[in-house]
Amino acid sequence: MLTVLLQQGINGIVVGSLYVLVALGLTLIYGVLVQINFAHADIVTLGAFAAYFFTHAFGGSYLASIGIALVVGGALGWLINAAIFAPLRDRGSELLPLIATIGVSIMLQNAMLAWFGPIPYAFDTPYSEHVIRIGSTFFTVQSVLIIIVSTTTIGLLYAFMKFTFLGKALRAVSQDRETAGLMGINPNYLIMLTFVIASALAGMGGALLGPVLVMTPFAGTSVIVKAFAIVIIGGFGNVEGTIIAGLLVGLIESYTTQFLDPGLIDIVVFALLLLMLAVRPTGLIAEKREENV
Amino acid sequence: MTELLATDGLELAYGQTPACRDITFHVDDGEIVTLIGANGAGKSTTLRAIAGALLPRAGTIRFRGQDITRLPSYERTRLGIALVPEGRRVFPFLTARENLELGAFKYRNDKAKVRALIDKVFAMFPRLSERASQNAGTLSGGEQQMLALGRAMMSEPYLLCLDEPSLGLAPMIVQDIFRTIRSINTAGTSVLLVEQNARYALATASRGYVLQTGSIIASGPCATLKEDERVRHAYLGRSAVEGVSERVSR
Ligand SMILES: Nc1ncnc2c1ncn2[C@@H]1O[C@H](COP(=O)(O)OP(=O)(O)OP(=O)(O)O)[C@@H](O)[C@H]1O
Ligand SMILES: [Mg+2]
């Protein structure tokens, strides 16, 4: 029994840390723009395909393909923002960019459908075969890789936000864009940077998720639904909350699979979401704020 | 004296709603100039236009001989304009120190300079150094005003624009803030001061402009404005003016 708990705990954290990678991008974009980016899912999918073709068609190594997916994701984020979102924002509309993210998402999905077809691809990595055994728990080298890559990435992102001038500027833009402009910060540049970072994380998440996803042009959608839930449970725009909520959802998923039924995962996750909205609408960690006048 | 800032026929609007028209005024090097007026007169709107947070519909703004009318706010900061916005607008979830650092965003590649500037602000407001690692949102109103003022000074501006620095503060703290504004000016920074508290403003500045429903209706040296019948009637209880000017100048 204890072994099962431990084993599923490890599985949950592996899956959860992938969700965190995807959800953090949504959180960052939400924090800066107060806007949900529906196209985020498709960048996850494109990241997975970029890694797939790099390894399976060009014979590249899986490790390098993670970096490729990161770059492809970041470049896509830059392109989509520069070509579509930024011009719409300049026109001062609140609703148009949101609708545009849905439009971009549908466009990307159908472009991928045209190129890649509807049949799932089998994404094999050399690391999924190697099983490590410690005591009576098992995990693959792939899981270890996922944990290392995502922990490192999250740590780097955290340090960037906390200790660099640009990271502090990013937080300032998300708290008060006009005042950030008065500090000499170009908000448009930081919004662009946010899209690039968020999309790079999504692309990389795609490369790590590829081997466990049913890899079709719609693969990202299944992940993004949970990522949305995670962003809400973590408190919109709250980075720490998102990390905790992501791991929590990963654990819920793996324990539900073990003790209930895999078909119930979404029901349990979204029941938690509704519960959170009812009892703590500000999310797991409410930002500490005392109003003093 | 050389001209630092000059506006000519500014017309300001929020969307289609006009807020100010024909705003023409100037600030010379080393001056403290005040804009006074009742609620909704357009004082904040004018300051936001100077800082670039709001682009004018018509008219021009010149700063140190350069036309900055269409320059975005983040470039005006680099040229030497700083604004302490109405309501302080500190970044609530950043620490006091981080707020100050962002004030020096244009010096971000020079760590030693940023540190020296922070030390200067701490010398000006020792209270802030005790609160350095606290989130700005948890500071008291007076501390937040000090932080907003210190943050603006981090960019070493030629022109410091202040939007109602006395708003909601206890009289003791207001006196402190005004004393600091004077010493900042003495050290060489020109000041454009917006105040509802016309007594303090007229006692601190050398020249002033009176705004009413979006237009400048009077201007001149503060000594003259204090005697102006319209100003006295609208903004000053007759007797109190002299008393305050003595207290402030001490
Ligand atoms: N964001 C805004 N959108 C639309 N109208 C605005 C906005 N801000 C100010 N106004 C309008 O512009 C006019 C001038 O407002 P402004 O804030 O400049 O006045 P003020 O002189 O600073 O007043 P107060 O002393 O109350 O701060 C007012 O009629 C106000 O209603
Ligand atoms: Mg105002």
Side-chain angles (χ1 to χ4, degrees), chain B residues 76-100:
Chain B
R76 296 188 197 195
T77 314
R78 284 170 213 162
L79 291 180
I81 298 179
L83 167 65
V84 179
E86 184 170 22
R88 311 183 263 270
R89 303 278 283 265
V90 296
F91 300 110
F93 306 126
L94 294 180
T95 65
R97 180 185 293 276
E98 287 169 337
N99 269 271
L100 292 178

PDB file of all heavy atoms in Angstrom, chain B residues 76-100:
ATOM      1  N   ARG B  76      10.547  59.618 -22.218  1.00  0.00           N
ATOM      2  CA  ARG B  76      10.655  60.908 -21.527  1.00  0.00           C
ATOM      3  C   ARG B  76      11.437  60.754 -20.224  1.00  0.00           C
ATOM      4  O   ARG B  76      12.167  61.648 -19.817  1.00  0.00           O
ATOM      5  CB  ARG B  76       9.266  61.476 -21.240  1.00  0.00           C
ATOM      6  CG  ARG B  76       8.549  61.782 -22.532  1.00  0.00           C
ATOM      7  CD  ARG B  76       7.260  62.526 -22.313  1.00  0.00           C
ATOM      8  NE  ARG B  76       6.450  62.431 -23.524  1.00  0.00           N
ATOM      9  CZ  ARG B  76       5.400  63.184 -23.779  1.00  0.00           C
ATOM     10  NH1 ARG B  76       5.019  64.080 -22.901  1.00  0.00           N
ATOM     11  NH2 ARG B  76       4.725  63.037 -24.894  1.00  0.00           N
ATOM     12  N   THR B  77      11.257  59.597 -19.556  1.00  0.00           N
ATOM     13  CA  THR B  77      12.021  59.343 -18.338  1.00  0.00           C
ATOM     14  C   THR B  77      13.511  59.415 -18.622  1.00  0.00           C
ATOM     15  O   THR B  77      14.284  59.968 -17.851  1.00  0.00           O
ATOM     16  CB  THR B  77      11.680  57.946 -17.796  1.00  0.00           C
ATOM     17  OG1 THR B  77      10.276  57.795 -17.822  1.00  0.00           O
ATOM     18  CG2 THR B  77      12.186  57.765 -16.384  1.00  0.00           C
ATOM     19  N   ARG B  78      13.903  58.850 -19.760  1.00  0.00           N
ATOM     20  CA  ARG B  78      15.328  58.867 -20.121  1.00  0.00           C
ATOM     21  C   ARG B  78      15.824  60.287 -20.346  1.00  0.00           C
ATOM     22  O   ARG B  78      16.977  60.592 -20.094  1.00  0.00           O
ATOM     23  CB  ARG B  78      15.564  58.020 -21.380  1.00  0.00           C
ATOM     24  CG  ARG B  78      15.534  56.538 -21.067  1.00  0.00           C
ATOM     25  CD  ARG B  78      15.517  55.690 -22.325  1.00  0.00           C
ATOM     26  NE  ARG B  78      14.723  54.476 -22.059  1.00  0.00           N
ATOM     27  CZ  ARG B  78      14.217  53.696 -22.994  1.00  0.00           C
ATOM     28  NH1 ARG B  78      14.408  53.976 -24.272  1.00  0.00           N
ATOM     29  NH2 ARG B  78      13.520  52.637 -22.668  1.00  0.00           N
ATOM     30  N   LEU B  79      14.924  61.165 -20.829  1.00  0.00           N
ATOM     31  CA  LEU B  79      15.335  62.547 -21.085  1.00  0.00           C
ATOM     32  C   LEU B  79      15.404  63.363 -19.801  1.00  0.00           C
ATOM     33  O   LEU B  79      15.998  64.436 -19.784  1.00  0.00           O
ATOM     34  CB  LEU B  79      14.362  63.215 -22.047  1.00  0.00           C
ATOM     35  CG  LEU B  79      14.366  62.703 -23.478  1.00  0.00           C
ATOM     36  CD1 LEU B  79      13.344  63.475 -24.303  1.00  0.00           C
ATOM     37  CD2 LEU B  79      15.752  62.837 -24.081  1.00  0.00           C
ATOM     38  N   GLY B  80      14.755  62.877 -18.729  1.00  0.00           N
ATOM     39  CA  GLY B  80      14.846  63.606 -17.467  1.00  0.00           C
ATOM     40  C   GLY B  80      13.547  64.163 -16.940  1.00  0.00           C
ATOM     41  O   GLY B  80      13.534  65.173 -16.238  1.00  0.00           O
ATOM     42  N   ILE B  81      12.423  63.524 -17.283  1.00  0.00           N
ATOM     43  CA  ILE B  81      11.146  63.914 -16.682  1.00  0.00           C
ATOM     44  C   ILE B  81      10.700  62.785 -15.761  1.00  0.00           C
ATOM     45  O   ILE B  81      10.698  61.630 -16.177  1.00  0.00           O
ATOM     46  CB  ILE B  81      10.061  64.146 -17.755  1.00  0.00           C
ATOM     47  CG1 ILE B  81      10.469  65.284 -18.680  1.00  0.00           C
ATOM     48  CG2 ILE B  81       8.705  64.437 -17.100  1.00  0.00           C
ATOM     49  CD1 ILE B  81       9.472  65.565 -19.790  1.00  0.00           C
ATOM     50  N   ALA B  82      10.364  63.101 -14.521  1.00  0.00           N
ATOM     51  CA  ALA B  82       9.840  62.070 -13.621  1.00  0.00           C
ATOM     52  C   ALA B  82       8.511  62.547 -13.058  1.00  0.00           C
ATOM     53  O   ALA B  82       8.344  63.736 -12.780  1.00  0.00           O
ATOM     54  CB  ALA B  82      10.826  61.792 -12.495  1.00  0.00           C
ATOM     55  N   LEU B  83       7.573  61.620 -12.917  1.00  0.00           N
ATOM     56  CA  LEU B  83       6.260  61.971 -12.369  1.00  0.00           C
ATOM     57  C   LEU B  83       5.972  61.120 -11.137  1.00  0.00           C
ATOM     58  O   LEU B  83       6.126  59.901 -11.153  1.00  0.00           O
ATOM     59  CB  LEU B  83       5.174  61.723 -13.427  1.00  0.00           C
ATOM     60  CG  LEU B  83       3.712  61.745 -12.945  1.00  0.00           C
ATOM     61  CD1 LEU B  83       3.318  63.124 -12.441  1.00  0.00           C
ATOM     62  CD2 LEU B  83       2.766  61.313 -14.063  1.00  0.00           C
ATOM     63  N   VAL B  84       5.589  61.775 -10.061  1.00  0.00           N
ATOM     64  CA  VAL B  84       5.026  61.066  -8.907  1.00  0.00           C
ATOM     65  C   VAL B  84       3.517  61.132  -9.097  1.00  0.00           C
ATOM     66  O   VAL B  84       2.919  62.178  -8.908  1.00  0.00           O
ATOM     67  CB  VAL B  84       5.422  61.740  -7.578  1.00  0.00           C
ATOM     68  CG1 VAL B  84       4.802  60.996  -6.412  1.00  0.00           C
ATOM     69  CG2 VAL B  84       6.928  61.800  -7.441  1.00  0.00           C
ATOM     70  N   PRO B  85       2.899  60.017  -9.513  1.00  0.00           N
ATOM     71  CA  PRO B  85       1.497  60.111  -9.919  1.00  0.00           C
ATOM     72  C   PRO B  85       0.548  60.316  -8.745  1.00  0.00           C
ATOM     73  O   PRO B  85       0.899  60.079  -7.590  1.00  0.00           O
ATOM     74  CB  PRO B  85       1.231  58.776 -10.612  1.00  0.00           C
ATOM     75  CG  PRO B  85       2.308  57.863 -10.205  1.00  0.00           C
ATOM     76  CD  PRO B  85       3.439  58.672  -9.651  1.00  0.00           C
ATOM     77  N   GLU B  86      -0.650  60.757  -9.082  1.00  0.00           N
ATOM     78  CA  GLU B  86      -1.679  60.939  -8.071  1.00  0.00           C
ATOM     79  C   GLU B  86      -1.967  59.592  -7.415  1.00  0.00           C
ATOM     80  O   GLU B  86      -2.066  58.568  -8.082  1.00  0.00           O
ATOM     81  CB  GLU B  86      -2.958  61.462  -8.753  1.00  0.00           C
ATOM     82  CG  GLU B  86      -4.065  61.791  -7.795  1.00  0.00           C
ATOM     83  CD  GLU B  86      -5.200  62.536  -8.512  1.00  0.00           C
ATOM     84  OE1 GLU B  86      -5.317  62.427  -9.737  1.00  0.00           O
ATOM     85  OE2 GLU B  86      -5.958  63.216  -7.824  1.00  0.00           O
ATOM     86  N   GLY B  87      -2.084  59.580  -6.099  1.00  0.00           N
ATOM     87  CA  GLY B  87      -2.358  58.328  -5.391  1.00  0.00           C
ATOM     88  C   GLY B  87      -1.113  57.451  -5.278  1.00  0.00           C
ATOM     89  O   GLY B  87      -1.215  56.262  -4.967  1.00  0.00           O
ATOM     90  N   ARG B  88       0.069  58.012  -5.561  1.00  0.00           N
ATOM     91  CA  ARG B  88       1.375  57.393  -5.294  1.00  0.00           C
ATOM     92  C   ARG B  88       1.721  56.256  -6.240  1.00  0.00           C
ATOM     93  O   ARG B  88       2.835  56.169  -6.717  1.00  0.00           O
ATOM     94  CB  ARG B  88       1.487  56.926  -3.850  1.00  0.00           C
ATOM     95  CG  ARG B  88       1.055  58.034  -2.886  1.00  0.00           C
ATOM     96  CD  ARG B  88       1.216  57.624  -1.460  1.00  0.00           C
ATOM     97  NE  ARG B  88       0.002  57.120  -0.861  1.00  0.00           N
ATOM     98  CZ  ARG B  88      -0.883  57.897  -0.234  1.00  0.00           C
ATOM     99  NH1 ARG B  88      -0.670  59.180  -0.133  1.00  0.00           N
ATOM    100  NH2 ARG B  88      -1.954  57.372   0.300  1.00  0.00           N
ATOM    101  N   ARG B  89       0.776  55.331  -6.445  1.00  0.00           N
ATOM    102  CA  ARG B  89       0.992  54.259  -7.408  1.00  0.00           C
ATOM    103  C   ARG B  89       2.326  53.527  -7.222  1.00  0.00           C
ATOM    104  O   ARG B  89       3.055  53.289  -8.179  1.00  0.00           O
ATOM    105  CB  ARG B  89       0.899  54.811  -8.834  1.00  0.00           C
ATOM    106  CG  ARG B  89      -0.424  55.492  -9.140  1.00  0.00           C
ATOM    107  CD  ARG B  89      -1.510  54.526  -9.515  1.00  0.00           C
ATOM    108  NE  ARG B  89      -1.358  54.057 -10.865  1.00  0.00           N
ATOM    109  CZ  ARG B  89      -1.969  54.589 -11.941  1.00  0.00           C
ATOM    110  NH1 ARG B  89      -2.776  55.610 -11.790  1.00  0.00           N
ATOM    111  NH2 ARG B  89      -1.798  54.082 -13.116  1.00  0.00           N
ATOM    112  N   VAL B  90       2.659  53.159  -5.990  1.00  0.00           N
ATOM    113  CA  VAL B  90       3.816  52.284  -5.789  1.00  0.00           C
ATOM    114  C   VAL B  90       3.413  50.895  -6.278  1.00  0.00           C
ATOM    115  O   VAL B  90       2.229  50.588  -6.375  1.00  0.00           O
ATOM    116  CB  VAL B  90       4.254  52.225  -4.306  1.00  0.00           C
ATOM    117  CG1 VAL B  90       4.732  53.586  -3.851  1.00  0.00           C
ATOM    118  CG2 VAL B  90       3.126  51.726  -3.413  1.00  0.00           C
ATOM    119  N   PHE B  91       4.392  50.062  -6.626  1.00  0.00           N
ATOM    120  CA  PHE B  91       4.074  48.697  -7.047  1.00  0.00           C
ATOM    121  C   PHE B  91       3.855  47.873  -5.780  1.00  0.00           C
ATOM    122  O   PHE B  91       4.809  47.579  -5.054  1.00  0.00           O
ATOM    123  CB  PHE B  91       5.200  48.109  -7.894  1.00  0.00           C
ATOM    124  CG  PHE B  91       5.457  48.902  -9.143  1.00  0.00           C
ATOM    125  CD1 PHE B  91       6.614  49.652  -9.280  1.00  0.00           C
ATOM    126  CD2 PHE B  91       4.534  48.918 -10.177  1.00  0.00           C
ATOM    127  CE1 PHE B  91       6.845  50.397 -10.423  1.00  0.00           C
ATOM    128  CE2 PHE B  91       4.747  49.670 -11.322  1.00  0.00           C
ATOM    129  CZ  PHE B  91       5.904  50.411 -11.446  1.00  0.00           C
ATOM    130  N   PRO B  92       2.610  47.491  -5.471  1.00  0.00           N
ATOM    131  CA  PRO B  92       2.290  46.980  -4.129  1.00  0.00           C
ATOM    132  C   PRO B  92       2.975  45.654  -3.784  1.00  0.00           C
ATOM    133  O   PRO B  92       3.285  45.428  -2.629  1.00  0.00           O
ATOM    134  CB  PRO B  92       0.764  46.818  -4.164  1.00  0.00           C
ATOM    135  CG  PRO B  92       0.400  46.761  -5.608  1.00  0.00           C
ATOM    136  CD  PRO B  92       1.420  47.576  -6.331  1.00  0.00           C
ATOM    137  N   PHE B  93       3.219  44.803  -4.806  1.00  0.00           N
ATOM    138  CA  PHE B  93       3.795  43.482  -4.509  1.00  0.00           C
ATOM    139  C   PHE B  93       5.293  43.429  -4.760  1.00  0.00           C
ATOM    140  O   PHE B  93       5.884  42.360  -4.789  1.00  0.00           O
ATOM    141  CB  PHE B  93       3.081  42.393  -5.303  1.00  0.00           C
ATOM    142  CG  PHE B  93       1.597  42.411  -5.108  1.00  0.00           C
ATOM    143  CD1 PHE B  93       0.739  42.471  -6.189  1.00  0.00           C
ATOM    144  CD2 PHE B  93       1.057  42.384  -3.827  1.00  0.00           C
ATOM    145  CE1 PHE B  93      -0.636  42.512  -6.008  1.00  0.00           C
ATOM    146  CE2 PHE B  93      -0.314  42.429  -3.641  1.00  0.00           C
ATOM    147  CZ  PHE B  93      -1.163  42.488  -4.726  1.00  0.00           C
ATOM    148  N   LEU B  94       5.893  44.587  -4.971  1.00  0.00           N
ATOM    149  CA  LEU B  94       7.350  44.656  -5.008  1.00  0.00           C
ATOM    150  C   LEU B  94       7.798  45.294  -3.696  1.00  0.00           C
ATOM    151  O   LEU B  94       7.072  46.108  -3.122  1.00  0.00           O
ATOM    152  CB  LEU B  94       7.829  45.508  -6.183  1.00  0.00           C
ATOM    153  CG  LEU B  94       7.548  44.989  -7.592  1.00  0.00           C
ATOM    154  CD1 LEU B  94       8.093  45.966  -8.626  1.00  0.00           C
ATOM    155  CD2 LEU B  94       8.170  43.623  -7.798  1.00  0.00           C
ATOM    156  N   THR B  95       8.994  44.925  -3.231  1.00  0.00           N
ATOM    157  CA  THR B  95       9.480  45.525  -1.992  1.00  0.00           C
ATOM    158  C   THR B  95       9.811  46.995  -2.238  1.00  0.00           C
ATOM    159  O   THR B  95       9.928  47.439  -3.381  1.00  0.00           O
ATOM    160  CB  THR B  95      10.747  44.819  -1.493  1.00  0.00           C
ATOM    161  OG1 THR B  95      11.785  45.041  -2.443  1.00  0.00           O
ATOM    162  CG2 THR B  95      10.525  43.320  -1.331  1.00  0.00           C
ATOM    163  N   ALA B  96       9.973  47.710  -1.123  1.00  0.00           N
ATOM    164  CA  ALA B  96      10.316  49.125  -1.232  1.00  0.00           C
ATOM    165  C   ALA B  96      11.617  49.279  -2.034  1.00  0.00           C
ATOM    166  O   ALA B  96      11.725  50.131  -2.912  1.00  0.00           O
ATOM    167  CB  ALA B  96      10.470  49.729   0.160  1.00  0.00           C
ATOM    168  N   ARG B  97      12.590  48.424  -1.748  1.00  0.00           N
ATOM    169  CA  ARG B  97      13.853  48.519  -2.462  1.00  0.00           C
ATOM    170  C   ARG B  97      13.672  48.255  -3.965  1.00  0.00           C
ATOM    171  O   ARG B  97      14.222  48.973  -4.803  1.00  0.00           O
ATOM    172  CB  ARG B  97      14.884  47.537  -1.877  1.00  0.00           C
ATOM    173  CG  ARG B  97      16.238  47.570  -2.582  1.00  0.00           C
ATOM    174  CD  ARG B  97      17.179  46.502  -2.060  1.00  0.00           C
ATOM    175  NE  ARG B  97      17.584  46.747  -0.685  1.00  0.00           N
ATOM    176  CZ  ARG B  97      18.583  47.557  -0.352  1.00  0.00           C
ATOM    177  NH1 ARG B  97      19.266  48.176  -1.275  1.00  0.00           N
ATOM    178  NH2 ARG B  97      18.889  47.736   0.913  1.00  0.00           N
ATOM    179  N   GLU B  98      12.863  47.249  -4.279  1.00  0.00           N
ATOM    180  CA  GLU B  98      12.631  46.950  -5.700  1.00  0.00           C
ATOM    181  C   GLU B  98      11.935  48.113  -6.406  1.00  0.00           C
ATOM    182  O   GLU B  98      12.243  48.431  -7.560  1.00  0.00           O
ATOM    183  CB  GLU B  98      11.803  45.664  -5.845  1.00  0.00           C
ATOM    184  CG  GLU B  98      12.579  44.401  -5.523  1.00  0.00           C
ATOM    185  CD  GLU B  98      11.697  43.158  -5.407  1.00  0.00           C
ATOM    186  OE1 GLU B  98      10.477  43.286  -5.143  1.00  0.00           O
ATOM    187  OE2 GLU B  98      12.237  42.051  -5.566  1.00  0.00           O
ATOM    188  N   ASN B  99      10.998  48.764  -5.707  1.00  0.00           N
ATOM    189  CA  ASN B  99      10.360  49.950  -6.268  1.00  0.00           C
ATOM    190  C   ASN B  99      11.407  51.004  -6.617  1.00  0.00           C
ATOM    191  O   ASN B  99      11.373  51.581  -7.697  1.00  0.00           O
ATOM    192  CB  ASN B  99       9.362  50.539  -5.264  1.00  0.00           C
ATOM    193  CG  ASN B  99       7.953  49.986  -5.441  1.00  0.00           C
ATOM    194  OD1 ASN B  99       7.168  50.535  -6.206  1.00  0.00           O
ATOM    195  ND2 ASN B  99       7.650  48.896  -4.764  1.00  0.00           N
ATOM    196  N   LEU B 100      12.344  51.220  -5.682  1.00  0.00           N
ATOM    197  CA  LEU B 100      13.383  52.219  -5.929  1.00  0.00           C
ATOM    198  C   LEU B 100      14.254  51.811  -7.116  1.00  0.00           C
ATOM    199  O   LEU B 100      14.561  52.616  -7.991  1.00  0.00           O
ATOM    200  CB  LEU B 100      14.245  52.411  -4.683  1.00  0.00           C
ATOM    201  CG  LEU B 100      13.553  53.072  -3.486  1.00  0.00           C
ATOM    202  CD1 LEU B 100      14.506  53.158  -2.298  1.00  0.00           C
ATOM    203  CD2 LEU B 100      13.053  54.467  -3.854  1.00  0.00           C
TER     204      LEU B 100
END
